[in-house]
């Protein structure tokens, strides 16, 4: 047996046969035929060529014979499925021609021989005799009818999916093998962060230019510490909140430059949290000593205030439901609990009482089915809002913040023990993935998912830097310097995987873009775990 490749792992005959299949699938029929002739290797096996001829000509006895040879194991489920399809096609054609008695005879005779099971035979008879295709006048009454030929081709395509190798080659086999090799390289590339096609001319390896790692703009408008930053769902806007008692809406321009749009001035105390409606038309702002306010994004006007400072209804965090008409907020005051409102300020539902302690942070999954809440520092509750089934996770260290991935399958929490824990929403993990390297011990530090398919985590830090991890590695991939004081919060643009914003006690917001192109050693197998 002749082999190819430096490792001697590739069989020459199979390699050439797959090449021929690829040429045919790409439309290069002459080249494929020439290679078949020159190599004396056929793309189709002799068994398949015979089967193809029998199917297209309606030679059902021949079909059953070759399928019996192809499947060595009589108990193979794929064999039973293939025989079932052939029998169904045979019966259908007899009935199209009005040969009902012949169809029944075949059904009775073949049922026991083919061993496809009594239930499936009954189902087959029902399907065939009640099919709309059996209605008179639907098809030509000869085997050359277009619909008959078309149904036979569809049968052949279904049989190809069931017949084992090497009788048939799986469809587009070379493309699959090459794509698998490329995906393996991408999976071990820690900087990969783009949707585009990759080159086959060299092994795939991205550099820092694929992720936001250089400051491209510094926003200076707040007059005190900036505590929160968040891009809108469309990525076209940015909102920031500050201890100067204001929030700012920024516009993201087509060239990714950011300009001030509205300064929101109504709060009497520091603003520590904002939340964008999924449709980008509304913004919520709140703070630990502040009420919840709803703003119009286009005009910057205040639309509604939920509660008032005098009544003590202060809100620490808030979130939207996917319809952009309902919202939920949690209070640091245990007596206030969690409240769901509509945008007109009507209370829809509330969770209060002894089971609802101080709310540290909360979020609603993108599908609106679950609410995740951090209570009294160390407890995470995941409530399915339809089934009302609740799951509780208890961390050993105080939690300061919560963030949900774009697909709603995962969430991360920042701990005061200088760790970020990644949990799955479905509850299949017994332990979280842990990321460390940043500094956090005294302040509320917020992190976020970002990049292609939420493959990265970014976080602020008390050492005035921004930290970025790839989910495949617990050690930081990049540490970004630029701020001069604690970085409180970060936000990754959900529509631009190469754009990140960070908010700091130095009163600025930094916009980060792609770094200088280089090719560092960033393969996963080269990283110390």
């Amino acid at each position: 047996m002749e082999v190819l490749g430096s490792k001697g792992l590739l069989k020459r005959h199979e390699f050439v046969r797959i090449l021929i299949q690829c040429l045919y699938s790409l439309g290069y029929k002459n080249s494929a035929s020439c290679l078949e002739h020159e190599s004396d290797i056929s793309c189709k096996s002799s068994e398949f060529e015979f089967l193809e001829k029998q199917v297209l000509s309606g030679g059902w006895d021949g079909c059953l014979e070759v399928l019996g040879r192809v499947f060595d194991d009589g108990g193979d489920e794929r064999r039973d499925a293939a025989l079932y399809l052939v029998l169904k096609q045979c019966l259908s054609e007899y009935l199209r021609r009005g040969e009902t008695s012949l169809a029944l005879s075949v059904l009775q005779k073949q049922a026991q021989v083919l061993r496809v099971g009594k239930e499936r035979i009954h189902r087959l008879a029902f399907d065939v005799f009640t099919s709309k295709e059996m209605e008179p006048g639907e098809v030509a009454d000869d085997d050359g009818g277009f619909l008959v030929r078309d149904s036979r081709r569809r049968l052949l395509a279904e049989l190809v999916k069931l017949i084992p190798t090497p009788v048939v080659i799986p469809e587009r086999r070379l493309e699959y093998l090459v794509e698998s090799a490329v995906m393996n390289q991408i999976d071990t590339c820690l900087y990969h962060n783009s949707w585009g096609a990759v080159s086959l001319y060299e092994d795939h390896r991205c550099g820092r230019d694929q992720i936001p790692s250089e400051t491209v703009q510094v926003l200076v408008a707040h007059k005190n510490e900036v505590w929160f930053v968040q891009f809108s769902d469309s990525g076209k806007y940015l909102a920031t909140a500050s201890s100067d008692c204001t929030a700012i809406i920024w516009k993201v321009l087509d060239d990714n430059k950011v300009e001030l749009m509205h300064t929101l001035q109504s709060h009497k105390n520091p603003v520590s949290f904002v939340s964008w409606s999924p449709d980008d038309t509304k913004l919520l702002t709140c703070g630990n000593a502040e009420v919840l306010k709803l703003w119009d994004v286009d005009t910057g006007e205040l639309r509604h205030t939920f509660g008032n400072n005098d009544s003590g209804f202060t809100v620490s965090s808030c979130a939207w439901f996917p319809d952009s008409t309902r919202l939920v907020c949690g209070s640091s005051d245990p007596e206030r609990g969690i409240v769901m409102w509509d945008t007109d300020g009507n209370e829809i539902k509330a969770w209060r009482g002894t089971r609802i302690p101080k709310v540290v942070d909360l979020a609603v999954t993108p599908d609106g089915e679950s609410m995740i809440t951090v209570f009294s520092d160390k407890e995470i509750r995941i409530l399915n809002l339809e089934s009302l089934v609740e799951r509780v996770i208890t961390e050993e260290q105080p939690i300061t913040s919560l963030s949900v991935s774009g697909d709603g399958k995962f969430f991360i929490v920042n701990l005061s023990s200088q760790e970020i824990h990644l949990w799955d929403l479905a509850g299949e993990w017994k332990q979280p993935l842990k990321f460390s390297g940043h500094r956090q011990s005294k302040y509320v530090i917020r992190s976020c998912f970002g990049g292609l398919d939420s493959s990265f985590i970014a976080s602020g830090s008390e050492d005035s830097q921004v930290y970025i991890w790839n989910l495949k590695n617990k050690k930081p991939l990049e540490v970004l310097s630029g701020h001069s004081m604690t970085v409180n919060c970060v936000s990754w643009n959900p529509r631009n995987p190469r754009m990140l914003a960070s908010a700091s006690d130095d009163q600025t917001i930094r916009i980060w873009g792609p770094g200088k192109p280089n090719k560092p050693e960033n393969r996963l197998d080269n990283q110390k775990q």
Side-chain angles (χ1 to χ4, degrees):
M1 177 180 64
E2 190 174 350
V3 296
L4 302 173
S6 60
K7 307 295 184 182
L9 300 176
L10 308 178
K11 300 176 183 178
R12 178 182 178 276
H13 181 277
E14 293 184 359
F15 188 81
V16 174
R17 191 177 170 201
I18 290 174
L19 281 177
I20 295 169
Q21 182 204 45
C22 181
L23 290 172
Y24 273 122
S25 68
L26 292 174
Y28 303 130
K29 297 181 179 180
N30 292 336
S31 298
S33 178
C34 181
L35 182 54
E36 284 182 310
H37 176 75
E38 188 172 355
S39 64
D40 198 27
I41 297 174
S42 175
C43 179
K44 298 178 181 177
S45 66
S46 58
E47 293 94 338
F48 182 76
E49 285 186 329
F50 180 76
L51 176 66
E52 183 180 41
K53 181 179 179 181
Q54 296 302 308
V55 169
L56 297 180
S57 64
W60 307 120
D61 290 337
C63 288
L64 299 177
E65 177 188 345
V66 70
L67 287 174
R69 294 199 306 267
V70 165
F71 293 97
D72 295 331
D73 182 5
D76 192 331
E77 291 183 2
R78 292 183 301 171
R79 166 199 173 275
D80 294 345
L83 296 177
Y84 178 88
L85 291 173
V86 171
L87 181 56
K88 182 178 180 180
Q89 180 71 23
C90 174
L91 295 176
S92 298
E93 293 194 14
Y94 284 151
L95 291 173
R96 284 193 186 101
R97 296 197 296 265
E99 300 175 353
T100 306
S101 59
L102 183 57
L104 290 172
S105 175
V106 169
L107 186 62
Q108 293 170 351
K109 182 184 301 182
Q110 297 295 340
Q112 186 174 359
V113 176
L114 298 179
R115 304 191 305 277
V116 296
K118 184 179 296 185
E119 291 184 4
R120 297 196 71 184
I121 288 295
H122 290 166
R123 182 64 185 174
L124 171 63
F126 177 80
D127 288 347
V128 170
F129 283 93
T130 60
S131 172
K132 289 185 178 180
E133 293 180 357
M134 300 303 104
E135 295 178 3
E138 288 289 316
V139 297
D141 61 358
D142 61 281
D143 287 351
F146 170 77
L147 291 182
V148 172
R149 294 196 302 271
D150 188 56
S151 66
R152 289 176 180 176
R153 291 191 186 97
R154 290 199 303 270
L155 169 62
L156 188 64
E158 290 300 315
L159 291 176
V160 167
K161 299 175 183 177
L162 297 169
I163 297 172
T165 58
V167 179
V168 297
I169 307 172
E171 187 178 358
R172 298 184 179 275
R173 183 61 179 168
L174 184 58
E175 290 179 38
Y176 171 79
L177 292 173
V178 173
E179 192 170 56
S180 295
V182 170
M183 286 303 300
N184 182 63
Q185 293 182 4
I186 288 175
D187 286 343
T188 58
C189 176
L190 296 179
Y191 284 93
H192 188 75
N193 192 32
S194 62
W195 289 280
V198 301
S199 174
L200 299 180
Y201 295 141
E202 59 182 358
D203 289 346
H204 178 75
R205 183 181 299 170
C206 297
R208 295 178 73 244
D209 58 323
Q210 292 297 305
I211 66 170
S213 51
E214 298 286 343
T215 298
V216 295
Q217 190 176 359
V218 179
L219 308 180
V220 181
H222 284 292
K223 299 177 181 179
N224 211 327
E225 299 170 352
V226 188
W227 288 351
F228 201 93
V229 61
Q230 188 180 76
F231 281 103
S232 67
D233 280 27
S234 70
K236 296 179 179 179
Y237 302 98
L238 182 72
T240 56
S242 171
S243 61
D244 66 6
C245 305
T246 71
I248 295 177
I249 296 176
W250 308 80
K251 175 74 172 177
V252 180
L253 306 178
D254 292 339
D255 61 358
N256 291 326
K257 292 293 184 181
V258 179
E259 67 177 18
L260 193 150
M261 188 173 171
H262 302 295
T263 299
L264 312 180
Q265 297 175 316
S266 177
H267 287 285
K268 299 177 182 179
N269 298 294
V271 184
S272 60
F273 200 96
V274 305
S275 182
W276 287 95
S277 63
D279 63 6
D280 278 16
T281 63
K282 298 175 282 290
L283 182 73
L284 293 171
T285 59
C286 60
N288 286 327
E290 261 297 339
V291 294
L292 180 67
K293 292 181 181 289
L294 174 66
W295 305 83
D296 183 277
V297 171
D298 285 338
T299 64
E301 294 179 354
L302 178 64
R303 288 182 50 176
H304 191 80
T305 297
F306 299 80
N308 58 72
N309 295 78
D310 295 335
S311 67
F313 191 77
T314 56
V315 175
S316 57
S317 57
C318 54
W320 288 91
F321 284 87
D323 58 13
S324 295
T325 64
R326 294 172 297 145
L327 54 109
V328 63
C329 61
S331 176
S332 56
D333 182 352
E335 295 183 2
R336 300 296 178 178
I338 301 171
V339 181
M340 184 191 299
W341 311 80
D342 65 19
T343 52
D344 293 324
N346 300 307
E347 184 177 306
I348 300 173
K349 186 176 179 62
W351 294 266
R352 300 187 180 98
T354 56
R355 290 192 68 254
I356 307 297
K358 171 186 175 181
V359 176
V360 175
D361 204 350
L362 61 76
V364 174
T365 54
D367 58 12
E369 292 183 1
S370 298
M371 180 171 65
I372 309 171
T373 311
V374 177
F375 287 108
S376 295
D377 297 338
K378 299 180 182 179
E379 185 178 272
I380 305 167
R381 295 187 195 175
I382 304 168
L383 174 66
N384 185 296
L385 296 169
E386 294 183 1
S387 66
L388 300 182
V389 173
E390 186 176 68
R391 180 165 65 94
V392 178
I393 298 172
T394 303
E395 290 280 9
E396 295 180 356
Q397 300 295 327
I399 304 168
T400 64
S401 63
L402 163 73
S403 181
V404 180
S405 63
D407 58 12
K409 294 181 179 180
F410 307 95
F411 65 90
I412 49 178
V413 290
N414 276 55
L415 307 181
S416 60
S417 58
Q418 303 187 136
E419 282 189 336
I420 297 172
H421 287 185
L422 168 65
W423 292 93
D424 71 312
L425 193 73
E428 297 176 356
W429 299 356
K430 293 183 179 180
Q431 296 293 328
L433 296 180
K434 300 179 180 180
F435 303 87
S436 60
H438 64 304
R439 297 290 177 263
Q440 178 178 4
S441 59
K442 298 184 294 183
Y443 304 123
V444 173
I445 301 295
R446 299 183 182 275
S447 59
C448 69
F449 289 92
L452 179 67
D453 297 327
S454 296
S455 300
F456 300 88
I457 291 174
S459 179
S461 177
E462 291 177 8
D463 62 3
S464 75
Q465 302 184 101
V466 175
Y467 286 74
I468 295 178
W469 296 261
N470 186 296
L471 295 186
K472 304 184 186 79
N473 198 293
K474 65 182 181 181
K475 300 296 183 183
L477 178 65
E478 288 286 339
V479 180
L480 314 183
S481 299
H483 286 291
S484 59
M485 298 179 69
T486 295
V487 180
N488 300 301
C489 184
V490 293
S491 179
W492 212 303
N493 191 315
R495 306 301 174 190
N496 182 351
R498 301 181 188 181
M499 187 177 192
L500 179 74
S502 58
S504 171
D505 281 351
D506 65 11
Q507 304 183 22
T508 69
I509 303 99
R510 282 183 176 258
I511 306 300
W512 305 84
K516 298 177 181 178
N518 64 335
K519 295 287 183 179
E521 290 296 322
N522 64 79
R523 306 293 289 196
L524 182 59
D525 48 16
N526 289 336
Q527 298 286 317
K528 293 182 179 179
Q529 298 295 319

